[in-house]
Amino acid sequence: MTKDHGNSIKDDEKYEALRDEGYSKSKSAAIANAGDSASAKGGSNPAYEEWTKQELYSRAQELDIEGRSDMSKDELIEALRK
């Protein structure tokens, strides 16, 4: 039975599956809360190349990407796409 994580997690089952795969708590939460719209092609967000370095850094911070503070804009883009 999937644990209920309260209002902070929208999809408890997806969150638990991601944690079992070894994802961090913050990355699992971000993915579980993104919903199905995140996987749809042609989303409304501009390509990462159009983002500022600060926007990329903030997104990397949300996803708990290690080493982000030392990364260049191109390195942040590469890390976010993995």
Side-chain angles (χ1 to χ4, degrees), residues 2-75:
T2 304
K3 181 179 175 184
D4 182 8
H5 298 282
N7 293 336
S8 63
I9 304 295
K10 291 180 184 177
D11 188 339
D12 293 310
E13 189 172 321
K14 185 182 278 186
Y15 175 84
E16 289 294 329
L18 292 167
R19 291 292 294 143
D20 289 343
E21 289 179 28
Y23 285 85
S24 68
K25 289 180 181 181
S26 60
K27 190 164 189 173
S28 298
I31 294 169
N33 289 337
D36 293 332
S37 63
S39 63
K41 288 189 175 182
S44 59
N45 287 335
Y48 282 141
E49 288 77 11
E50 296 177 29
W51 291 30
T52 65
K53 184 176 178 184
Q54 181 57 47
E55 290 169 329
L56 293 166
Y57 179 83
S58 294
R59 181 65 178 144
Q61 195 173 25
E62 289 172 11
L63 297 177
D64 199 27
I65 294 175
E66 291 186 28
R68 63 187 172 268
S69 61
D70 296 325
M71 292 182 184
S72 68
K73 181 175 179 177
D74 289 336
E75 290 170 326

